[in-house]
Amino acid sequence: MDWQNDSYNVDADTELTQRRTYEILPPTVVPGLLLSLLLQFSARRFRVPVPNLTSQVKQETRKNTKRRGRSLVTLRELLRMAPQDVVSFVGLSELSLEMAASLLRAGYKVQALQQTGPLMDAFVKLGGSQCDSPIRGGKALIVLISHADDVTNLFFSSAGPCKELERDTVVILHSNILPSHLQKLEKHLTENAEVAFVVDAYVSRGIFEHLSGKLVISSSGKSDAIARARPILSAMSDKLYIFDGEIGAGSKYKLVNDLLEGIHLVAALEAICLGIKAGIHPWILYDIISNAAGNSWIFKNHVPGLLRGNGTEEYLLDFIQKLGTVLNVAKLQTFPVPLLSVAHQQLILASAHGHRDDGDVNLVKILEEVYGVNIIIAANEEKYFPEQLAEKIAANSDTVSRIGFIGLGAMGFGMATHLLKSNYCVSGFDVYKPTLDRFANAGGLVGNSPAEASKDVDVLVIMVTNEAQAESVLYGDLGAIPALPSGASIILSSTVSPGFVTQLERRLQIEGKDLKLVDAPVSGGVKRAAEGTLTIMASGSDAALKSTGSVLSALSEKLYIIKGGCGAGSVVKMANQLLAGVHIASSAEAMAFGARLSLNTRTLFDAITNSTGSSWMFENRVPHMLDNDYTPYSALDIFVKDLGIVSHECSSRKVPLHIATVAHQLFLAGSAAGWGRQDDAGVVKVYETLTGVKVEGKLPMLKKEVILQSLPPEWPVDPVDDIQRLNQKSSKTLVVLDDDPTGTQTVHDIEVLTEWTVESLIEQFKKKPTCFFILTNSRSLSSDKASVLIKDICQNLRTAVKLLENVDYTVVLRGDSTLRGHFPEEADAAVSVLGEMDAWIICPFFLQGGRYTINDVHYVADADMLVPAGDTEFAKDAAFGYKSSNLREWVEEKTGGRIAAGGVTSISIQLLRKGGPDAVCQFLCGLKKGSTCVINAASERDMYVFAAGMIKAELQGKHFLCRTAASFVSARIGIIPKAPVLPKDLGITKEKTGGLIVVGSYVPKTTKQLQELKLQCAQIIRSIEISVDKVAMKSREEREQEIEKAAEMADAFLRARTDTLIMTSRELITGKNPSESLEINFRVSSALVEVVRRIKTKPRYILAKGGITSSDLATKALEAKCAKIVGQALAGVPLWQLGPESRHPGVPYIVFPGNVGSSTALAEVVKSWAPPVRLSSTKELLRNAEKGCYAIGAFNVYNLEGVEAVVAAAEEEQSPAMLQIHPAAFKQGGIPLVACCISAAEQANVPVTVHFDHGTSKEDLVQAINLGFHSVMADGSHLSFDDNISYTKFISSLAHSKGLLVEAELGRLSGTEDDLTVEDYEAKLTDVNQAEEFIDRTGIDALAVCIGNVHGKYPPGGPKLRLDLLKDLQSLTSKKGVSLVLHGASGLSEELIKECIVKGVRKFNVNTEVRKAYMESLSEPKKDLVDVMSSAKEAMKAVVAEKMRLFGSAGKA
């Protein structure tokens, strides 16, 4: 179909549509769908009506989809995938075929420029088509360029197939030619060919984990070009890296990767050759290093081939050519690459040896000549298994009673204390006395010298820094050797040269004391040392190993016994350190070179970690460079020492190790510059200082809308039904340990416990819930206390489950979505009780809070931007601060390096959206036991897809421990969200107290929300500020005074029905360290608890702002043990109802997180929960009375007692009412009386309005209208008919403009009211005909009529009402929508009142009887004025209540 040329190729489009619908539609539906498409196309083109076949097609599709479990493709989607979405290929390769296949699966049509051969045949077989020209109707053009000369031929020659491109075509240059060529091509295309959108795409295959063998694309270009190309690039790839800036970044990335590959190759050769020269079997060396810190992709994948004798000269020449290209670019950039230069020269040297007269150019033989070793012979020697040897040694080792330990540094202290925990008697020595004190406190014996620590020991462990220190502690003053008993064994775990070890063994033999030596260098870091999970490479005589086997086993997780005698272990360690050191230095060279090439270094790092240039050290150390954080995990000077050992050994063993010695020089340069005690990643500063580049890669803020739109489409099937079904099948209960109450912010109709006794847990499990929460509030505790708490809860969970049948559960550690909290301490604690898990799941995505995880980076939304979490105020938290936004790096940071970033896996958004739950399940089931896995997510659908996949994995026997934010919980249990809960949803309408708002959170977001709350709600809340300084830092007396004052004020405000805000002062006081900061937090939180505990009034609702605040108030101040999560008061803001055991049963408890919501969110919630302001209009009251056939009492009031009497009676009787002010009363009471009435009406919990009665002057009425009355009576009854109309019309117009009801009087009542007397001869009944004209001309809302009623007392003969006239008037007013009013109700009998109501009277004015009750109460003597007021109020209230019951309004509020 060509939309522009009005041509329609039926055959082509039919073929396309059939191909697209084949996966989801049965054959019978395809023709119908085609017909629908054709007809709708015709309708659009020619504007003719067509029958709608869409519903039938949809129905059939839905049926078939349900049968086959496939996702629906809607008609709109099919139209959107119509033929204009054509992607054209110029030039094909194996990678192109995979790209085309991915595009076809995504719904694109693909075509390729006609050519012959197997690639085109395969392309057509996939579903692609051939074309003569790729330029017509194409959305994108993918051009394969293998050489710079291709450019001119393709784009600018007269016969070039791409000569006439449409301006809006996206040109994707699939190439790895030099960046400079790509940039020139872009310039030509945009300037000469007028192509607007050009990007490059370097395509490779992923090599690790779920990307293994899949397509990875690195692309760059101008922002508008990338925006256009991104959907196509995403559709073609399983992983897409976008580099900001000019085109050519894909080729630049390849240059950096080639640099690393070349250096890693030569380093691998040097390490293997050094090991062989030192007598280590190369396959043993390979097996150990490929699982250690010296590993790289090149080492892992290329060394086996070399050891088997594979490899050709072409392999060598290919590397030489690639490295030469990189060197040329580096020269143009004026950038030094010493490691690359040496690697290049080594390979050239090998190539020079390859030119042989006999034609034998086997690569391995060439390398043997270069390095002077026999690689093939060594590799073919009989292999042994070091771990099996270790098992035998451990099983037959001698008993060890006492151990000496010299060197209690970071590693040594952990090793020595672990031996203590393993029930060994250990005597330690260190030159640093405080360390000796710590060791003694841990239960160790302390020696004041090496000699003292060595007395009477069976085994002596040496863990000092270098050879000089080892020499000193053994043979120096008060050295260990003379003190050691005969037959003792020495374990030397320091990293020293093999030569030193060999010489030391000889010296010990000379001593004549049968002293044995085990060479046992260690690897693994401080944490593993303390846990006894080190890797140890041990060598020595059989007797020495037998005597130390139990000690070595106690210290290690992996123990290798290396054959070759004492020193062999140090050779293996030396080879590993050679590689590790070179890999750190090469990482520095690569990243600095990338920075010089203007690549985004973080994106470069992410790309390299999935490429052939990756290494263990690259993944582990480059994050330090990117963060510019050189806090030492391993000091730079260590590699000065370790590579110094390598340099010495290569000299003594005559093995040329060029690349290792250059790396040594780089570390020496770093040490000379003063960086020796910083982290070894600081070697990058050598490059930064020389060249002026900065490797530090601050993560950019992203445009939220742009990045979310750039992601692949969501998984098309909603997994909620599947999740609910799977949960029923698994019958596992999700137990959420919530470190503060805010984790309940996405669920509803679930219980939360604040206690975790075995009994309460059994009670919960018996209910067979899908989920329940346990509020731990552990974020407010120290790390040690939090760990103890989690262990306690997990132990109780295990005990409870053992006492029940058929109960299983999964534990979720719900934490902060901004990454604050006790990780990994809580996870470690849980595992210590529950046992090792298949994986830890890290999932902080939380949509309602604006938390997204994309490409393993966690973001916090701020307006329309996504800010890396590490750059937010949350990362600066005094107790839980962090630096890393990348979650893999965050795990490494928080675990202190125990879990390396490179060892953390992740589930990508691409996998979630393209593979769905089954792909998630497969991924999780394939994880190595004990893994840590990060979950990316950018939508609720992503979360539900992951949850479904996780449940499937659990059903296959997998067990996970989840550290997540709130969104995971709702997804995991398949909760369907519901609308925010309002007071009316809980039946809260008549409470007589204020709401309580308590704010303790200090995050900047909370402070902004507080400011907005006070600004928007100043009229409805009262604020009490508690001084943080007084409650946290001052004396006990000042703290007590501050607490008592706040509690008393809050009590008073709440009783007055006023919503009350208790807030801590906003100055942030922190301690000198995280522990002190937590202690200050505790003092502040406990003060808030005490304030709330002392408040006696039951609040209408309670809102607690901040996680710690809300937890402490719930458990300590309100004594809640169980609450029901009703839902949310606002998205992300949980709402509980307190349990019956709490101080305030059933009271709604709003848990407002400190870090959730916009600046107005708190104000919005408070306003929605404020008591309903009873601004019911008088018109509404009368309208309801008309519907209910009852009347409203309008009671004249004169003072506070009268106002209180009417409102109190109305609330007791649940009746609407009107407070009525006569002009005479207004004259005496003035504005204060009006204000009193209006305030009382607003605060009443029943509808009450304020009415101005008998306004006989315009001045009074205008003032009344502007003072806030709800209705007025324009009384022109004393005027002529026409003047009455004129007068009333004026007031009616003015009052209606303000929304007020207008009552008027026609006819005139006799009698006296408030000193206004109308004589009998002036009284006049209402005329029906005049009434109709009066209503029409004035537009009034209510008509006071005269039917024989009078003001004041009726004559002795009693009232004589014209009920027939009332009936006629009712007939008229009902037709006009006007309410009937009857003045003079005092003195009318009950029968007459009820008859009047039946005949339409909806408002009775009541004055005389109420006044009478007031006056009579005054005649009785009282002790005090207060008693007078109380008596008067009760007397009036009784009359008012009686009238309400009589009028039928009681119970109608």
Side-chain angles (χ1 to χ4, degrees):
M1 188 189 299
D2 187 330
W3 303 105
Q4 294 178 330
N5 297 328
D6 292 341
S7 63
Y8 190 83
N9 185 329
V10 175
D11 294 335
D13 201 56
T14 302
E15 180 186 357
L16 168 67
T17 309
Q18 287 174 332
R19 188 161 59 246
R20 286 187 182 160
T21 55
Y22 178 79
E23 284 288 299
I24 62 168
L25 299 176
T28 54
V29 176
V30 175
L33 179 58
L34 283 174
L35 178 59
S36 178
L37 282 166
L38 288 167
L39 289 170
Q40 292 194 34
F41 168 70
S42 301
R44 283 206 306 273
R45 299 297 286 169
F46 305 110
R47 299 182 181 177
V48 295
V50 297
N52 184 0
L53 303 180
T54 307
S55 59
Q56 179 188 348
V57 174
K58 282 186 177 178
Q59 191 173 18
E60 288 298 318
T61 305
R62 192 173 291 114
K63 275 194 231 171
N64 191 64
T65 302
K66 189 171 182 182
R67 273 197 307 272
R68 298 178 60 191
R70 302 264 186 166
S71 61
L72 292 177
V73 175
T74 65
L75 181 59
R76 180 180 297 174
E77 288 170 331
L78 283 167
L79 287 170
R80 190 166 62 243
M81 295 189 294
Q84 71 267 30
D85 286 359
V86 176
V87 179
S88 303
F89 285 79
V90 176
L92 293 175
S93 66
E94 292 292 338
L95 291 176
S96 299
L97 293 179
E98 291 190 42
M99 292 155 65
S102 296
L103 287 169
L104 284 166
R105 286 194 296 271
Y108 290 90
K109 179 179 180 180
V110 297
Q111 59 184 21
L113 189 66
Q114 283 194 352
Q115 62 184 65
T116 57
L119 287 174
M120 178 56 78
D121 294 341
F123 183 81
V124 172
K125 190 174 182 180
L126 283 172
S129 59
Q130 291 179 303
C131 62
D132 294 325
S133 171
I135 63 174
R136 296 183 59 194
K139 184 181 183 70
L141 182 68
I142 300 173
V143 183
L144 176 64
I145 301 175
S146 55
H147 193 277
D149 293 341
D150 296 341
V151 172
T152 301
N153 297 332
L154 287 169
F155 290 98
F156 303 112
S157 69
S158 58
C162 305
K163 187 171 183 294
E164 297 179 3
L165 291 172
E166 297 178 5
R167 181 169 178 77
D168 62 348
T169 301
V170 179
V171 175
I172 300 173
L173 303 175
H174 172 198
S175 172
N176 58 6
I177 63 174
L178 288 176
S180 56
H181 295 312
L182 288 171
Q183 288 155 15
K184 288 177 184 176
L185 174 56
E186 181 198 31
K187 185 176 181 182
H188 282 307
L189 286 172
T190 54
E191 293 180 359
N192 300 335
E194 296 185 346
V195 174
F197 308 111
V198 183
V199 301
D200 70 324
Y202 172 64
V203 186
S204 59
R205 295 188 190 279
I207 59 168
F208 292 121
E209 299 163 1
H210 63 283
L211 286 177
S212 180
K214 298 186 177 179
L215 292 189
V216 177
I217 295 180
S218 301
S219 181
S220 61
K222 294 176 181 175
S223 58
D224 56 347
I226 286 292
R228 292 288 293 267
R230 191 189 288 264
I232 299 165
L233 295 168
S234 295
M236 290 192 296
S237 62
D238 291 280
K239 185 69 175 179
L240 174 64
Y241 296 106
I242 298 293
F243 287 88
D244 301 325
E246 63 183 4
I247 198 169
S251 296
K252 292 176 183 178
Y253 150 69
K254 182 180 182 301
L255 292 172
V256 177
N257 193 67
D258 288 347
L259 176 151
L260 286 164
E261 278 190 7
I263 297 171
H264 292 172
L265 175 64
V266 176
L269 296 173
E270 290 188 357
I272 291 294
C273 290
L274 177 62
I276 292 172
K277 196 75 171 180
I280 305 299
H281 196 299
W283 282 110
I284 302 297
L285 202 60
Y286 172 78
D287 289 343
I288 294 174
I289 292 178
S290 61
N291 289 292
N295 191 31
S296 69
W297 188 88
I298 288 289
F299 184 89
K300 182 86 171 178
N301 291 275
H302 285 230
V303 168
L306 295 173
L307 294 181
R308 294 187 181 100
N310 300 332
T312 63
E313 187 178 21
E314 285 75 23
Y315 170 89
L316 190 61
L317 294 176
D318 180 56
F319 264 101
I320 292 171
Q321 182 183 359
K322 288 195 298 185
L323 300 194
T325 301
V326 180
L327 281 168
N328 288 334
V329 173
K331 182 172 67 175
L332 291 172
Q333 295 288 333
T334 320
F335 190 88
V337 282
L339 291 169
L340 177 68
S341 300
V342 171
H344 188 234
Q345 290 300 311
Q346 280 287 83
L347 295 177
I348 290 175
L349 176 61
S351 176
H353 279 266
H355 295 290
R356 302 168 60 96
D357 294 335
D358 59 6
D360 188 355
V361 290
N362 181 278
L363 178 59
V364 179
K365 291 185 177 181
I366 295 171
L367 296 173
E368 288 181 335
E369 289 188 20
V370 171
Y371 289 101
V373 295
N374 292 313
I375 298 174
I376 299 299
I377 292 175
N380 290 329
E381 288 180 356
E382 185 178 355
K383 188 180 176 183
Y384 63 94
F385 300 95
E387 290 180 277
Q388 291 182 7
L389 292 179
E391 290 174 4
K392 290 179 182 178
I393 291 292
N396 299 295
S397 62
D398 296 337
T399 301
V400 174
S401 300
R402 185 181 174 109
I403 299 172
F405 205 108
I406 299 176
L408 299 174
M411 291 273 289
F413 188 86
M415 294 167 68
T417 51
H418 181 73
L419 289 172
L420 288 173
K421 294 173 186 174
S422 302
N423 297 318
Y424 287 102
C425 175
V426 184
S427 174
F429 171 76
D430 195 273
V431 294
Y432 189 54
K433 298 303 179 187
T435 298
L436 286 177
D437 295 338
R438 284 178 59 215
F439 187 63
N441 292 335
L445 303 175
V446 171
N448 293 317
S449 67
E452 276 193 34
S454 305
K455 290 179 69 173
D456 301 324
V457 301
D458 300 312
V459 174
L460 175 66
V461 181
I462 307 294
M463 188 60 189
V464 293
T465 303
N466 52 38
E467 295 174 3
Q469 290 182 8
E471 174 73 21
S472 175
V473 299
L474 290 171
Y475 289 101
D477 292 338
L478 300 176
I481 296 299
L484 282 170
S486 296
S489 298
I490 300 172
I491 298 175
L492 181 59
S493 289
S494 304
T495 300
V496 296
S497 68
F500 177 83
V501 177
T502 304
Q503 185 182 17
L504 177 60
E505 185 181 38
R506 286 198 295 266
R507 291 172 68 185
L508 292 176
Q509 290 169 353
I510 295 170
E511 292 289 330
K513 297 170 66 174
D514 190 27
L515 298 177
K516 296 176 280 293
L517 177 65
V518 173
D519 170 32
V522 301
S523 178
V526 175
K527 187 87 172 176
R528 287 187 176 276
E531 293 173 344
T533 55
L534 291 167
T535 296
I536 300 180
M537 295 144 280
S539 62
S541 67
D542 291 344
L545 291 168
K546 185 173 183 292
S547 66
T548 58
S550 63
V551 178
L552 294 170
S553 296
L555 292 171
S556 63
E557 181 180 49
K558 290 184 179 178
L559 176 60
Y560 299 102
I561 300 298
I562 310 298
K563 289 185 176 181
C566 225
S570 286
V571 171
V572 175
K573 177 71 182 288
M574 176 179 63
N576 183 73
Q577 293 303 91
L578 180 158
L579 287 165
V582 170
H583 292 166
I584 294 172
S586 64
S587 298
E589 186 164 296
M591 295 306 296
F593 182 48
R596 173 52 63 86
L597 293 173
S598 300
L599 292 175
N600 179 298
T601 50
R602 282 201 178 266
T603 307
L604 176 62
F605 168 71
D606 289 340
I608 293 290
T609 54
N610 279 307
S611 77
T612 52
S614 188
S615 67
W616 193 95
M617 279 299 185
F618 182 91
E619 295 184 26
N620 189 268
R621 297 303 202 266
V622 172
H624 305 180
M625 304 175 194
L626 295 174
D627 292 337
N628 196 27
D629 179 9
Y630 301 107
T631 303
Y633 288 105
S634 174
L636 186 147
D637 274 343
I638 290 177
F639 274 102
V640 172
K641 171 179 70 80
D642 290 358
L643 290 181
I645 292 172
V646 172
S647 296
H648 177 269
E649 289 295 314
C650 78
S651 175
S652 63
R653 298 180 187 276
K654 296 181 172 50
V655 182
L657 304 179
H658 300 83
I659 205 140
T661 53
V662 172
H664 184 220
Q665 293 303 308
L666 289 169
F667 283 104
L668 274 171
S671 184
W675 308 321
R677 302 190 70 174
Q678 295 183 12
D679 191 80
D680 49 34
V683 71
V684 74
K685 294 183 181 182
V686 175
Y687 291 93
E688 291 180 331
T689 303
L690 284 172
T691 63
V693 302
K694 291 295 291 182
V695 169
E696 181 181 6
K698 187 167 182 172
L699 285 165
M701 290 195 298
L702 305 175
K703 271 273 190 185
K704 184 168 77 170
E705 184 179 357
V706 172
I707 195 67
L708 294 182
Q709 287 181 352
S710 73
L711 298 172
E714 290 182 344
W715 182 248
V717 180
D718 187 348
V720 171
D721 291 342
D722 278 347
I723 290 172
Q724 293 174 346
R725 178 179 53 78
L726 289 168
N727 278 328
Q728 289 177 351
K729 186 176 180 181
S730 75
S731 67
K732 266 192 176 186
T733 297
L734 198 71
V735 181
V736 184
L737 308 190
D738 198 355
D739 69 358
D740 77 8
T742 61
T744 57
Q745 56 207 149
T746 59
V747 299
H748 55 80
D749 301 311
I750 285 174
E751 290 190 346
V752 55
L753 304 181
T754 64
E755 65 171 7
W756 42 87
T757 62
V758 172
E759 292 74 22
S760 62
L761 293 174
I762 289 175
E763 194 63 32
Q764 271 298 314
F765 280 123
K766 282 182 177 178
K767 297 176 184 178
K768 299 189 180 301
T770 307
C771 170
F772 66 87
F773 280 71
I774 298 176
L775 175 55
T776 69
N777 199 30
S778 57
R779 207 184 305 170
S780 66
L781 305 176
S782 67
S783 176
D784 290 342
K785 290 180 179 178
S787 296
V788 171
L789 176 64
I790 297 301
K791 286 181 182 178
D792 182 42
I793 295 172
C794 289
Q795 189 61 57
N796 286 1
L797 282 169
R798 287 189 64 186
T799 303
V801 168
K802 284 180 180 178
L803 296 172
L804 298 167
E805 293 183 1
N806 300 320
V807 173
D808 199 2
Y809 61 96
T810 293
V811 169
V812 173
L813 299 173
R814 204 294 305 184
D816 179 42
S817 63
T818 59
L819 307 180
R820 296 171 299 166
H822 293 294
F823 177 85
E825 293 84 0
E826 291 186 343
D828 288 334
V831 167
S832 71
V833 176
L834 303 176
E836 186 179 12
M837 300 290 163
D838 289 291
W840 288 1
I841 302 297
I842 309 294
C843 182
F845 167 79
F846 177 40
L847 182 67
Q848 292 86 343
R851 322 286 193 246
Y852 301 86
T853 306
I854 301 170
N855 293 328
D856 298 341
V857 176
H858 195 52
Y859 294 96
V860 176
D862 185 1
D864 62 342
M865 300 301 292
L866 293 181
V867 183
D871 295 334
T872 65
E873 71 267 19
F874 306 112
K876 300 176 180 64
D877 187 278
F880 302 110
Y882 55 91
K883 295 178 180 177
S884 303
S885 302
N886 184 294
L887 290 180
R888 290 184 290 111
E889 297 166 19
W890 177 81
V891 169
E892 178 178 298
E893 177 186 345
K894 300 302 284 186
T895 60
R898 185 186 92 202
I899 302 175
V904 178
T905 61
S906 66
I907 288 181
S908 67
I909 290 175
Q910 284 77 7
L911 184 142
L912 292 170
R913 298 188 175 191
K914 293 183 178 181
D918 289 341
V920 171
C921 175
Q922 183 180 358
F923 184 94
L924 292 175
C925 289
L927 289 177
K928 180 182 176 183
K929 194 172 184 68
S931 295
T932 302
C933 182
V934 166
I935 311 304
N936 289 274
S939 71
E940 292 281 20
R941 177 66 59 84
D942 294 338
M943 204 74 273
Y944 280 85
V945 168
F946 170 73
M950 176 180 158
I951 299 170
K952 289 184 176 184
E954 288 180 319
L955 287 169
Q956 294 186 30
K958 296 296 179 181
H959 293 86
F960 305 104
L961 181 68
C962 307
R963 199 279 184 190
T964 79
S967 288
F968 168 80
V969 179
S970 54
R972 175 63 179 72
I973 58 180
I975 277 208
I976 299 171
K978 70 177 185 180
V981 179
L982 295 171
K984 63 181 178 62
D985 300 324
L986 302 177
I988 299 172
T989 56
K990 300 170 184 178
E991 278 65 17
K992 299 181 181 180
T993 58
L996 180 61
I997 305 138
V998 185
V999 178
S1001 170
Y1002 280 92
V1003 297
K1005 184 183 284 286
T1006 292
T1007 300
K1008 291 177 185 175
Q1009 290 173 340
L1010 264 177
Q1011 292 168 350
E1012 197 66 31
L1013 171 67
K1014 293 164 95 173
L1015 183 68
Q1016 292 192 29
C1017 302
Q1019 301 301 316
I1020 61 172
I1021 64 170
R1022 295 292 180 268
S1023 298
I1024 302 169
E1025 183 172 286
I1026 295 176
S1027 168
V1028 171
D1029 183 54
K1030 288 182 179 179
V1031 297
M1033 312 302 290
K1034 290 293 190 291
S1035 67
R1036 184 176 296 178
E1037 290 75 17
E1038 287 181 273
R1039 173 184 167 90
E1040 173 61 25
Q1041 289 173 6
E1042 189 73 4
I1043 290 171
E1044 185 60 28
K1045 181 181 74 173
E1048 287 182 0
M1049 292 174 64
D1051 236 341
F1053 290 150
L1054 291 173
R1055 283 197 304 271
R1057 304 181 183 179
T1058 303
D1059 287 355
T1060 303
L1061 166 65
I1062 299 176
M1063 56 177 284
T1064 51
S1065 55
R1066 292 292 91 191
E1067 74 269 20
L1068 178 61
I1069 300 175
T1070 59
K1072 297 175 183 176
N1073 54 53
S1075 295
E1076 283 191 13
S1077 295
L1078 280 174
E1079 178 60 27
I1080 291 170
N1081 290 347
F1082 171 76
R1083 289 182 209 149
V1084 175
S1085 180
S1086 63
L1088 288 173
V1089 166
E1090 193 57 35
V1091 170
V1092 175
R1093 191 197 299 276
R1094 295 184 192 185
I1095 295 173
K1096 299 179 178 63
T1097 305
K1098 180 180 179 180
R1100 189 174 70 260
Y1101 73 91
I1102 302 171
L1103 184 155
K1105 186 82 166 80
I1108 294 175
T1109 302
S1110 52
S1111 175
D1112 284 351
L1113 292 188
T1115 57
K1116 298 173 185 176
L1118 303 173
E1119 300 172 9
K1121 293 183 179 179
C1122 183
K1124 182 179 180 182
I1125 306 162
V1126 179
Q1128 285 70 48
L1130 188 73
V1133 180
L1135 172 61
W1136 301 359
Q1137 266 191 314
L1138 299 175
E1141 77 295 337
S1142 69
R1143 284 181 58 214
H1144 300 310
V1147 166
Y1149 187 61
I1150 300 170
V1151 180
F1152 205 126
N1155 58 11
V1156 165
S1158 66
S1159 59
T1160 62
L1162 181 58
E1164 290 170 16
V1165 172
V1166 170
K1167 285 191 290 187
S1168 68
W1169 279 77
V1173 178
R1174 293 294 180 180
L1175 296 178
S1176 303
S1177 68
T1178 305
K1179 181 179 288 189
E1180 182 183 351
L1181 262 62
L1182 296 179
R1183 187 185 300 119
N1184 290 338
E1186 181 65 37
K1187 291 178 183 177
C1189 296
Y1190 60 88
I1192 305 293
F1195 303 94
N1196 284 63
V1197 294
Y1198 301 85
N1199 54 18
L1200 176 63
E1201 296 95 291
V1203 172
E1204 286 191 337
V1206 173
V1207 173
E1211 289 182 339
E1212 282 189 12
E1213 297 297 328
Q1214 285 298 293
S1215 169
M1218 294 172 62
L1219 295 168
Q1220 193 160 263
I1221 298 177
H1222 192 276
F1226 179 54
K1227 183 177 180 181
Q1228 297 300 320
I1231 292 175
L1233 177 60
V1234 177
C1236 179
C1237 290
I1238 292 174
S1239 179
E1242 289 177 349
Q1243 294 190 50
N1245 59 28
V1246 293
V1248 176
T1249 61
V1250 185
H1251 180 71
F1252 188 74
D1253 192 27
H1254 285 293
T1256 56
S1257 78
K1258 288 183 178 179
E1259 182 180 355
D1260 285 350
L1261 283 165
V1262 169
Q1263 188 177 10
I1265 289 169
N1266 290 323
L1267 281 175
F1269 282 88
H1270 304 113
S1271 54
V1272 295
M1273 177 191 179
D1275 186 0
S1277 61
H1278 60 289
L1279 303 174
S1280 67
F1281 180 68
D1282 287 337
D1283 288 345
N1284 190 359
I1285 288 176
S1286 176
Y1287 175 78
T1288 304
K1289 184 177 181 180
F1290 171 81
I1291 297 301
S1292 182
S1293 176
L1294 183 62
H1296 284 163
S1297 70
K1298 301 281 189 180
L1300 275 62
L1301 174 140
V1302 177
E1303 175 188 337
E1305 185 172 352
L1306 190 61
R1308 199 161 193 220
L1309 273 67
S1310 64
T1312 300
E1313 183 176 22
D1314 290 338
D1315 298 328
L1316 177 64
T1317 300
V1318 177
E1319 300 296 339
D1320 290 343
Y1321 64 85
E1322 296 180 82
K1324 189 167 75 172
L1325 298 180
T1326 304
D1327 180 272
V1328 176
N1329 294 326
Q1330 281 189 335
E1332 182 171 13
E1333 182 182 355
F1334 187 81
I1335 291 170
D1336 290 342
R1337 292 176 62 183
T1338 61
I1340 59 169
D1341 307 290
L1343 180 65
V1345 297
C1346 180
I1347 57 170
N1349 46 313
V1350 302
H1351 287 134
K1353 292 183 178 180
Y1354 282 89
K1360 296 179 181 178
L1361 302 187
R1362 288 277 309 277
L1363 295 179
D1364 58 328
L1365 175 58
L1366 180 61
K1367 182 178 179 181
D1368 293 340
L1369 289 168
Q1370 191 270 340
S1371 178
L1372 169 68
T1373 54
S1374 63
K1375 185 171 62 176
K1376 299 290 185 180
V1378 172
S1379 299
L1380 273 178
V1381 179
L1382 198 67
H1383 292 202
S1386 296
L1388 293 180
S1389 66
E1390 288 188 16
E1391 291 76 12
L1392 275 175
I1393 292 289
K1394 291 178 180 178
E1395 187 68 23
C1396 288
I1397 293 172
V1398 170
K1399 289 186 164 48
V1401 173
R1402 296 298 169 243
K1403 172 177 175 268
F1404 286 106
N1405 283 17
V1406 180
N1407 185 8
T1408 303
E1409 290 175 80
V1410 178
R1411 289 173 57 178
K1412 179 182 176 185
Y1414 179 80
M1415 298 301 293
E1416 288 177 352
S1417 74
L1418 297 180
S1419 64
E1420 299 175 10
K1422 303 292 186 298
K1423 293 181 180 180
D1424 192 85
L1425 181 59
V1426 173
D1427 297 325
V1428 173
M1429 294 173 67
S1430 175
S1431 174
K1433 174 185 168 183
E1434 289 303 317
M1436 290 187 285
K1437 177 180 156 187
V1439 174
V1440 171
E1442 182 186 354
K1443 292 297 182 185
M1444 289 173 172
R1445 291 191 289 271
L1446 177 60
F1447 298 157
S1449 63
K1452 300 298 194 302

